[in-house]
């Protein structure tokens, strides 16, 4: 029998699929990086759109002209610091009052007209509203990717908070300029402390010799809002925002829901009937809506729009690109399938190398599996109104600590309506599960939901998460609690014909409760263990049969034929109660256990590194010794 080697040599790396994409036949049509300051790039985009001929590319590049465009401003900050109220003031609508749970759970965009000095025509500013709660980090990234300027709203009374720091880090990573708006100045607070903390986070204000503009406002009372708008205009001038007068349309997606894709036109003019592509999704623009929901025929640069026409909705944060027609849209999809395939192969190879380095080549276990110690696999099917809401809900679900006896498995999570196929698919598992409808989701079902499946609909993300926790805890095996109603202790034994051969009768003293001969749940405890369970055959007091014996009295007891009492036996009447679990307590214990496991793993890794360092030092001393 051949011996198996302890370690198998790794083969040579396969052909670099990503490198081969450089020679892809469709690559030249779509993958040139967008550079709106590069006339040649703009001209090549016009050629690929079919607006000019290949022989006219260089000539068109020399004729490209630029014009200023409206700034795109994203309003960000910690939850409840007044972002939505500020947008209410800018838009002159009351949207804060109608938001579910009082927090923004989707991205909205709109344009406002700001008067210019010297009687010039009004200037347009596009504002993007993003949620402030920690659950909506992905939506904030989508909003930031489309923005030229970030207005960071900070409450004077609350100061710097976690999402404030996150926005500052996000702005630095995207190299997006900041404008600080300290809100709620009517409530009072330590302004100097906030300025010092901003300085500590690398935000150098203009008053401190830096380049970040600051406005002190009260959005509720509309105080100094004009000053904030002036600062935004000034920052946009410093950013030198220009766009080519003629270019193919590109749109940054900020939200996808139902049949609509919302975004900001970043260059060109979006026209009804245009073909747009993104990833493996493409569509003909059937309808364009402006920020007030009115249908329009075209939208210029920096305008917020909603597009109808996509069957498969693209994800927020991606770019929609205009192409010449359906043929080129199909070419683009073919290219992206090859791109995704190459990236998957590359990622698989990187994972292989990482596993090899840790000695985990063999017995690799898949993710999203039912643990061996789990008794229940709870399947969850999620339908959300928008991609942003879906991302926020999934983030909170993935952050939940693992419960040993119940494994949560997400069967499906998508932006779509709930239909009968969803009920059929989940009920076919013949295991516990549930449906969550989060946000504005249509329920198209006609079938009844089986009794073993739960159903809920929520507009607030935390209510949905709480429902999931309750469902999981409900399927944890309940704790059994035995409630003892009567106890009788055996003081002596004596022969009794009723006890049969080998059996005897026990002379017992009722120490607790009332002993009934008809009691159903009777057990006998001997030296801490249950040795008998059943019903009493005969109960006597002074040789007379009785139906019960009061507490503090003696009696004679006969159990099954052949059962023999021993002195010290304890006879109990009991009932079984099942204790409900407390949801918060269960999850607090699970979180504490995960923290302990994490610390233990870190300690083991540290010990292993120290051991290697000691061995290296010892070997080095032997070499030089």
């Amino acid at each position: 029998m051949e011996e198996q080697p302890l370690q198998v040599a790794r083969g040579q790396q396969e052909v670099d699929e990503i490198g081969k994409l450089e020679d892809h036949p469709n690559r030249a049509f779509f993958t040139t990086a967008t550079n709106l300051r590069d006339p040649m790039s703009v001209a090549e985009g016009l050629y690929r759109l079919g607006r000019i001929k290949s022989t006219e590319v260089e000539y068109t590049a020399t004729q490209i002209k630029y014009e200023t465009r409206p700034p795109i401003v994203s309003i960000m900050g910690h939850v409840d610091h007044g972002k939505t109220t500020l947008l209410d003031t800018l838009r002159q609508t009351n949207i804060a009052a109608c938001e579910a749970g009082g927090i923004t759970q989707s991205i909205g965009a709109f344009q406002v007209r700001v008067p210019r000095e010297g009687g010039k025509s009004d200037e347009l500013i596009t504002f993007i509203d993003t949620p402030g709660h920690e659950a909506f980090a992905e939506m904030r990234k989508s909003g930031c990717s489309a923005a030229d300027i970030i207005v960071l709203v900070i409450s004077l009374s609350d100061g710097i908070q976690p999402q404030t720091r996150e926005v500052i880090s996000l702005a630095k990573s995207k190299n997006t300029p900041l404008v600080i708006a300290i809100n709620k100045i009517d409530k009072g607070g330590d302004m100097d402390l906030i300025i010092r903390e901003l300085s500590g986070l690398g935000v150098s204000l203009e008053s401190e010799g830096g380049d970040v503009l600051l406005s002190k406002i009260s959005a509720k009372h509309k105080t100094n809002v004009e000053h904030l708008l002036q600062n935004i205009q000034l920052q946009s001038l410093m950013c030198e925002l220009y766009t080519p007068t003629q270019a193919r349309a590109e749109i940054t997606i900020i939200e996808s829901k139902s049949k609509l894709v919302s975004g900001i036109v970043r260059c060109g003019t979006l026209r009804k009937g245009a073909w747009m592509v993104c990833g493996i999704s493409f569509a003909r623009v059937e309808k364009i809506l402006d920020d007030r929901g009115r249908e329009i025929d075209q939208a210029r640069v920096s305008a917020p729009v909603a597009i109808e026409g996509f069957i498969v909705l693209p994800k927020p944060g991606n770019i929609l690109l205009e192409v010449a027609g359906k043929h080129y849209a199909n070419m683009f999809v073919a290219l992206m399938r090859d791109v995704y395939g190459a990236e998957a192969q590359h990622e698989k190879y990187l994972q292989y190398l990482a596993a090899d380095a840790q000695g985990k080549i063999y017995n690799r276990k898949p993710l999203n599996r039912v643990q061996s110690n789990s008794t229940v696999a709870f399947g969850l099917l999620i339908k959300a109104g928008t991609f942003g809401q879906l991302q926020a809900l999934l983030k909170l679900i993935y952050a939940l600590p693992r419960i040993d006896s119940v494994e949560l498995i997400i069967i499906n999570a998508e932006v779509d309506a709930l239909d009968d196929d969803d009920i059929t698919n989940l009920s076919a598992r013949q295991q516990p599960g549930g449906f969550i409808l989060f946000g504005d989701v249509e329920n198209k079902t006609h079938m009844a939901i089986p009794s073993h499946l739960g159903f809920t609909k929520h507009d607030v993300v935390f209510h949905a998460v709480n429902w999931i926790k309750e469902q999981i805890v409900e399927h944890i095996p309940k704790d059994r609690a035995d409630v003892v109603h009567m106890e009788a202790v055996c003081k002596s034994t004596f022969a009794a014909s009723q006890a049969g051969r080998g059996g005897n009768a026990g002379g017992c003293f009722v120490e607790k409760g009332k002993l009934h001969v008809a009691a159903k749940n009777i057990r006998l405890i001997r030296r801490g263990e249950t040795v008998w369970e059943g019903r009493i055959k005969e109960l006597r007091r002074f040789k007379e049969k009785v139906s019960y014996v009061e507490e503090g009295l003696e009696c004679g007891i006969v159990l099954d034929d052949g059962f023999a009492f021993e002195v010290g036996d304890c006879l109990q009447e009991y009932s079984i109660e099942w204790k409900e679990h407390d949801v918060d307590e269960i999850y607090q214990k699970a979180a504490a256990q995960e923290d302990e496991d994490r610390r233990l793993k870190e300690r083991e890794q540290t010990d292993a590194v120290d051991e290697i360092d000691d061995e290296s030092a010892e070997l080095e001393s032997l070499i030089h010794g």
Side-chain angles (χ1 to χ4, degrees):
M1 181 176 178
E2 295 184 1
E3 293 186 2
Q4 296 293 329
L6 296 178
Q7 185 173 1
V8 179
R10 184 172 66 251
Q12 296 293 325
Q13 182 180 0
E14 298 179 0
V15 178
D16 184 4
E17 297 291 340
I18 293 182
K20 288 173 61 179
L21 286 173
E22 296 292 338
D23 300 324
H24 197 286
N26 296 337
R27 184 178 181 89
F29 285 96
F30 311 107
T31 55
T32 299
T34 299
N35 183 358
L36 301 182
R37 298 294 183 91
D38 180 6
M40 183 61 71
S41 175
V42 176
E44 288 177 351
L46 291 172
Y47 159 65
R48 295 180 188 114
L49 186 57
R51 300 276 176 83
I52 60 176
K53 299 178 181 179
S54 59
T55 56
E56 298 174 350
V57 171
E58 294 185 3
Y59 172 76
T60 303
T62 63
Q63 304 300 313
I64 294 292
K65 296 181 181 180
Y66 295 86
E67 61 183 356
T68 58
R69 64 172 177 83
I72 303 171
V73 180
S74 182
I75 306 291
M76 295 189 175
H78 194 74
V79 63
D80 200 30
H81 275 204
K83 302 181 302 301
T84 305
T85 306
L86 174 58
L87 288 163
D88 286 348
T89 302
L90 295 170
R91 188 161 46 179
Q92 297 298 316
T93 58
N94 185 15
I95 58 176
C98 61
E99 284 179 351
I103 59 175
T104 306
Q105 303 195 88
S106 62
I107 295 179
F110 62 94
Q111 281 188 321
V112 298
R113 293 187 177 274
V114 181
R116 290 185 180 181
E117 296 181 358
K120 297 180 180 179
S121 59
D122 295 346
E123 179 181 358
L124 286 173
I125 299 179
T126 300
F127 285 98
I128 304 174
D129 178 22
T130 57
H133 197 276
E134 61 180 351
F136 298 91
E138 292 301 321
M139 294 172 72
R140 284 192 292 276
K141 291 179 182 178
S142 298
C144 181
S145 64
D148 303 311
I149 301 169
I150 295 177
V151 173
L152 176 56
V153 180
I154 304 172
S155 171
L156 179 60
S157 56
D158 296 337
I160 305 296
Q161 296 295 321
Q163 269 62 63
T164 311
R165 296 184 176 89
E166 179 195 295
V167 172
I168 293 174
S169 299
L170 193 60
K172 290 180 178 178
S173 65
K174 300 286 186 179
N175 198 27
T176 305
L178 282 171
V179 173
I180 306 297
I182 298 182
N183 193 22
K184 303 184 181 181
I185 58 174
D186 52 303
K187 291 187 176 182
D190 193 342
M191 183 74 68
D192 294 335
L193 176 61
I194 294 177
I195 292 175
R196 288 197 301 271
E197 290 183 344
L198 286 173
S199 179
L201 293 171
V203 178
S204 181
L205 299 176
E206 188 181 34
S207 58
E208 304 294 322
D211 56 358
V212 178
L213 302 175
L214 169 68
S215 294
K216 303 172 184 178
I217 66 170
S218 172
K220 183 177 181 180
H221 299 287
K222 303 180 181 180
T223 305
N224 292 337
V225 174
E226 295 81 2
H227 182 265
L228 174 61
L229 291 173
Q230 291 172 4
N231 277 346
I232 293 173
Q233 289 175 308
L234 179 59
Q235 184 64 60
S236 67
L237 289 175
M238 292 189 290
C239 291
E240 297 182 347
L241 303 176
Y242 294 98
T243 184
T245 54
Q246 186 183 12
R248 63 176 175 180
E250 294 184 16
I251 299 172
T252 301
I253 305 171
I254 58 175
E255 188 56 284
S256 298
K257 60 181 179 180
S258 186
K259 296 180 179 179
L260 293 177
V261 176
S262 302
I264 306 290
V265 181
R266 56 186 289 173
C267 70
T269 300
L270 175 65
R271 294 178 175 85
K272 189 175 179 180
W275 285 89
M276 308 298 292
V277 295
C278 177
I280 57 174
S281 302
F282 69 92
R284 183 178 182 272
V285 178
E286 297 177 357
K287 186 184 294 185
I288 305 174
L289 304 177
D290 65 8
D291 56 330
R292 297 186 180 182
R294 300 173 302 188
E295 186 171 351
I296 55 178
D297 293 328
Q298 63 180 29
R300 286 283 294 146
V301 65
S302 297
V305 294
I307 304 171
E308 188 173 308
F310 280 90
I311 298 177
V312 179
L313 296 178
K315 293 183 179 181
N318 291 338
I319 303 297
L320 285 176
L321 183 69
E322 184 183 9
V323 294
K326 187 175 181 180
H327 170 70
Y328 288 93
N330 284 316
M331 289 175 60
F332 182 85
V333 170
L335 166 68
M336 294 311 297
R337 290 189 187 279
D338 292 341
V339 170
Y340 292 157
E343 289 178 346
Q345 291 293 328
H346 185 61
E347 179 65 23
K348 183 178 180 180
Y349 181 73
L350 292 178
Q351 291 180 358
Y352 182 91
L353 292 180
D356 185 26
Q358 300 177 24
K360 296 179 180 178
I361 289 296
Y362 305 105
N363 298 324
R364 294 182 64 185
K365 298 176 181 179
L367 300 175
N368 202 20
R369 65 187 182 87
V370 179
Q371 301 293 319
S372 58
N373 61 341
S374 297
T375 57
V376 177
F378 186 86
L380 191 63
L381 193 148
I382 303 171
K383 300 286 186 173
T386 69
F387 266 111
Q389 290 175 332
L390 183 63
Q391 289 173 331
L393 180 57
L394 290 176
K395 178 180 179 181
L396 292 180
I397 292 175
Y398 291 145
L400 291 175
R402 184 185 298 275
I403 304 299
D404 287 339
S405 52
V406 180
E407 183 76 7
L408 177 63
I409 299 177
I410 297 178
I411 305 300
N412 190 19
E414 61 183 351
V415 179
D416 200 0
L418 183 69
D419 55 29
D420 290 339
D421 289 340
D422 297 319
I423 296 179
T424 302
N425 293 336
L426 191 58
S427 60
R429 299 177 65 248
Q430 297 296 317
Q431 290 180 332
F435 301 92
I436 289 184
L437 271 58
F438 179 40
D440 185 14
V441 181
E442 187 177 359
N443 187 351
K444 296 181 178 179
T445 59
H446 300 91
M447 299 172 57
I449 295 179
S451 58
H452 68 285
L453 300 178
F455 176 86
T456 188
K457 187 177 189 306
H458 292 288
D459 292 324
V460 180
V461 65
F462 307 107
H463 295 171
V465 174
N466 289 337
W467 182 84
I468 295 172
K469 293 163 68 174
E470 291 169 0
Q471 291 293 307
I472 292 176
V473 171
E474 184 179 327
H475 288 87
I476 297 177
K478 295 179 175 59
D479 293 334
R480 170 174 166 166
D482 293 351
V483 180
V484 178
H485 303 289
M486 183 282 305
E487 283 187 348
V489 179
C490 180
K491 300 295 186 180
S492 62
T493 61
F494 51 89
S497 59
Q498 297 87 340
R501 181 177 296 180
N504 62 15
C508 299
F509 179 78
V510 181
E511 293 186 343
K512 174 184 176 182
K514 183 187 289 187
L515 175 58
H516 291 268
V517 69
K520 295 181 179 180
N521 294 330
I522 299 293
R523 65 187 177 191
L524 189 134
I525 308 298
R526 178 178 294 167
R527 289 183 287 277
E529 295 183 1
T530 300
V531 297
W532 177 88
E533 288 189 50
R535 300 184 66 172
I536 296 174
K537 183 176 182 181
E538 195 170 294
L539 177 64
R540 290 178 180 266
R541 181 165 168 74
F542 298 120
K543 298 184 179 181
E544 294 184 2
K545 289 184 178 181
V546 293
S547 59
Y548 66 89
V549 177
E550 297 281 356
E551 182 179 333
L553 299 179
E554 295 180 341
C555 59
I557 302 174
V558 175
L559 301 181
D560 295 336
D561 290 344
F563 184 84
F565 277 94
E566 293 183 7
V567 176
D569 287 351
C570 181
L571 197 70
Q572 294 181 344
E573 178 191 353
Y574 69 98
S575 63
I576 300 174
E577 293 183 359
W578 298 100
K579 183 181 178 183
E580 297 287 342
H581 295 290
D582 182 82
V583 176
D584 293 336
E585 181 180 350
I586 289 293
Y587 273 92
Q588 287 173 3
K589 289 181 179 179
Q593 184 61 47
E594 284 193 355
D595 291 340
E596 180 62 28
D597 293 343
R598 192 179 299 109
R599 286 193 293 269
L600 180 61
K601 185 175 181 179
E602 291 175 354
R603 193 180 305 118
E604 290 176 351
Q605 291 177 346
T606 303
D607 293 342
V609 171
D610 293 342
E611 184 178 350
I612 292 174
D613 291 341
D614 293 341
E615 291 178 355
S616 299
E618 183 178 354
L619 180 61
E620 186 175 353
S621 63
L622 290 174
I623 293 174
H624 298 287

